[in-house]
Amino acid sequence: MKPHVPRPTLKDVAREAGVSIKTVSRALNDEPRISPETRERVLRVVDTLGFRPNVLARHMRAGARDQAVALVIPELANPFFASVAAGVESVIREHGLTLIVGSSDERPDRERLLVTSFLDRQAAAVLIVPVASGDHAYLRPERRRGMPIVFIDRPPVRMTADCAVTENFAAAREGVAHLIRHGHRRIAFLGDLPHNLYTRQERLRGYRAALEDAGLPFDPRMVAHGHHPQEFAAAALDLIARPTPPTAIFAANNFACMGALKALSRTRRRDLALVGFDDFDLADAFDPAITVLAQDATHLGVAAAQMAISRLSGERSRARTVKLPARLIPRGSGELPPPPDAASSS
């Protein structure tokens, strides 16, 4: 068992920096009444000692019921991110904190602008669902000044931070293996853009692993992509119209699944198997009902918020990643067998 190491205090920082406790407090709060040189010296000591103020305790003592936790998400219209926000709020409101949400629109410049704004406003913590092409090296320790930063659904780029993600690889592998067990050999992958999106990469990796496990070749022509349901529908229609079409589709997110359903409806196809990543409302209202890999978006938000609260309460362990499983829910669409003539046309 490791010996207990006392958490550095304001007094420790003041002694090492050769200033008063009040000066340390002013430096941490970015008050203008100290010189830039003194502030820089204090912040260097803070970083060296690993000092983290117990912000949560301070807020609670002050009765600051309106102190905000900021959440940056890629888009407001996606129900997945709404569920993430609900999970975050369910945790922080128990600690007298409120939630503010901003949308990056999947733009790295917009994400950075929002995060920087929340840092400048001294939010209690910042939670981020990062964009695919972002670079988070700007969130250096001296810039954050002890503020907890937690990433959700996708890990950060060029920095280390707490993170809550789904077991994307394992879940995708299970979903595709489920289709293979029901006789499918030509399985399309309908994924998101951009190609370097973490969740897309992990789910494509799981798709390929399931094919390899079954001794099936990977055919890049069976990989299609989109961003919104209409784009996914067009991509699925293209797959279905090919001379040798897939007998099953693995839709790698909720919008991809909705797009595939649009394509199946337009072509009146009821014989093409479908497994979707993410559950959604009315998935069990179709005929057949939609087989999904249900990830718990609300739990992702809860896990991220709990890590932020832990950091606010003084937790100083190394950054960690929490991985949550996705659950396969067979409802009918993923259990459809391939057409009788599928084997002869492979």
Side-chain angles (χ1 to χ4, degrees):
M1 184 174 179
K2 293 182 179 179
H4 173 70
V5 179
R7 187 161 64 95
T9 65
L10 276 174
K11 186 177 180 180
D12 296 329
V13 175
R15 183 180 62 252
E16 290 296 319
V19 298
S20 68
I21 291 176
K22 184 171 288 187
T23 298
V24 173
S25 179
R26 286 172 177 167
L28 291 173
N29 290 309
D30 204 20
E31 294 183 12
R33 288 179 288 175
I34 63 173
S35 68
E37 294 79 11
T38 300
R39 178 182 290 107
E40 183 63 29
R41 184 166 76 253
V42 169
L43 294 178
R44 280 200 303 269
V45 172
V46 165
D47 189 45
T48 300
L49 295 182
F51 172 76
R52 292 295 180 268
N54 193 334
V55 182
L56 181 61
R58 186 172 72 229
H59 294 327
M60 294 303 100
R61 286 196 300 269
R65 304 291 296 179
D66 60 347
Q67 181 65 28
V69 168
L71 172 64
V72 179
I73 59 176
E75 53 184 323
L76 296 173
N78 192 322
F80 176 84
F81 300 124
S83 295
V84 168
V88 172
E89 188 171 41
S90 71
V91 172
I92 66 169
R93 67 187 174 200
E94 295 179 0
H95 297 274
L97 304 172
T98 56
L99 180 66
I100 53 176
V101 181
S103 172
S104 66
D105 296 326
E106 287 284 8
R107 289 169 42 199
D109 59 332
R110 173 69 178 164
E111 177 190 292
R112 181 165 181 165
L113 179 65
L114 282 170
V115 172
T116 301
S117 174
F118 292 140
L119 289 172
D120 291 342
R121 295 180 186 186
Q122 298 185 358
V126 178
L127 281 58
I128 309 168
V129 180
V131 302
S133 54
D135 182 343
H136 303 99
Y138 70 93
L139 288 171
R140 58 192 185 279
E142 62 269 25
R143 181 68 182 85
R144 294 163 56 179
R145 295 177 187 168
M147 182 183 295
I149 306 287
V150 183
F151 288 80
I152 309 173
D153 189 48
R154 312 162 185 173
V157 176
R158 294 185 61 203
M159 74 165 290
T160 301
D162 291 328
C163 192
V165 299
T166 297
E167 288 273 14
N168 294 285
F169 169 77
R173 190 177 194 172
E174 181 183 12
V176 176
H178 183 76
L179 291 167
I180 292 171
R181 285 194 297 272
H182 284 83
H184 295 278
R185 298 295 178 267
R186 294 199 309 275
I187 303 168
F189 177 92
L190 193 56
D192 208 346
L193 287 174
H195 295 300
N196 64 341
L197 187 68
Y198 168 79
T199 48
R200 181 191 192 276
Q201 289 179 326
E202 287 296 289
R203 293 168 194 177
L204 180 60
R205 196 165 67 89
Y207 164 83
R208 297 188 65 162
L211 295 180
E212 184 178 348
D213 291 343
L216 299 175
F218 169 71
D219 184 351
R221 295 171 298 178
M222 283 287 174
V223 176
H225 55 258
H227 186 63
H228 291 292
Q230 286 303 121
E231 294 177 2
F232 285 120
L237 285 170
D238 177 71
L239 288 167
I240 293 170
R242 293 179 182 180
T244 306
T247 63
I249 293 177
F250 176 69
N253 61 49
N254 54 356
F255 280 179
C257 192
M258 293 175 195
L261 287 169
K262 285 177 180 285
L264 295 178
S265 175
R266 290 174 190 172
T267 56
R268 301 184 183 279
R269 292 287 299 272
R270 298 172 63 88
D271 60 341
L272 197 149
L274 174 66
V275 170
F277 206 116
D278 289 341
D279 204 359
F280 59 96
D281 288 340
L282 302 180
D284 57 355
F286 290 85
D287 184 19
I290 310 305
T291 295
V292 298
L293 291 156
Q295 57 176 338
D296 195 336
T298 301
H299 196 184
L300 280 176
V302 166
Q306 288 173 338
M307 283 191 278
I309 293 296
S310 177
R311 296 298 183 186
L312 284 170
S313 299
E315 171 62 43
R316 292 182 56 247
S317 61
R318 290 185 177 182
R320 61 195 180 99
T321 296
V322 173
K323 291 188 176 183
L324 304 179
R327 181 168 57 97
L328 179 68
I329 305 178
R331 293 194 179 116
S333 70
E335 294 70 57
L336 292 173
D341 60 346
S344 61
S345 58
S346 297

